[in-house]
């Protein structure tokens, strides 16, 4: 499993076969999320209670990057290509704030 940074994830987002997967709780996702991101909360991934198309590589975001590692392992065990993002949405927020300055 390849672990990537936010900068690498932003580069990967533009590629046709990649999809952003936000595994935070739905209320966090509703407050703020990456455009085009799909939300499947971590507990559903952990339970195996999710359905994803298998033709994508998944850029996996959680809040801080810890749960995305575990979710990435679960997805890979289920034959999906997963790339957890180091630092999660916290790192994404920081990156976005730097871009705005």
């Amino acid at each position: 499993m390849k672990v990537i940074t936010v900068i690498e994830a932003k580069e990967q987002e533009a590629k046709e076969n990649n999809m952003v997967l936000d595994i935070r709780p739905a209320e966090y996702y509703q407050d703020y999320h990456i455009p085009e991101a799909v939300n499947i909360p971590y507990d559903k991934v952990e339970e195996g209670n999710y359905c994803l198309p298998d033709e994508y590589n998944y850029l996996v975001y959680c809040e801080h990057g810890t749960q995305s590692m575990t979710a990435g392992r679960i997805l890979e065990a289920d034959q999906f290509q997963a790339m957890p993002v180091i630092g999660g949405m916290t790192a994404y927020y920081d990156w976005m704030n730097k871009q705005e300055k």
Side-chain angles (χ1 to χ4, degrees):
M1 177 173 62
K2 180 179 181 182
V3 179
I4 59 176
T5 66
V6 170
I7 294 168
E8 291 169 318
K10 292 303 295 174
E11 292 168 0
Q12 293 292 325
E13 277 181 42
K15 294 184 179 174
E16 210 169 286
N17 65 331
N18 291 328
M19 183 180 290
V20 176
L21 178 61
D22 188 328
I23 62 165
R24 297 175 303 146
E27 57 272 11
Y28 286 57
Y29 176 83
Q30 290 170 353
D31 286 343
Y32 184 78
H33 61 271
I34 297 169
E36 308 299 322
V38 173
N39 179 234
I40 299 178
Y42 174 77
D43 60 339
K44 296 211 180 284
V45 174
E46 188 177 43
E47 295 166 0
N49 188 15
Y50 65 93
C51 183
L52 292 169
D54 59 6
E55 68 266 14
Y56 293 101
N57 299 316
Y58 292 93
L59 310 171
V60 186
Y61 281 87
C62 63
E63 192 63 33
H64 301 288
T66 306
Q67 286 185 326
S68 62
M69 294 293 292
T70 305
R73 286 188 201 98
I74 293 167
L75 291 167
E76 292 232 325
D78 289 343
Q79 306 303 307
F80 291 98
Q81 295 297 316
M83 294 178 275
V85 180
I86 298 167
M89 288 302 290
T90 301
Y92 181 82
Y93 296 141
D94 291 345
W95 181 82
M96 288 296 292
N97 286 333
K98 289 177 185 173
Q99 300 307 304
E100 293 173 359
K101 292 182 182 179

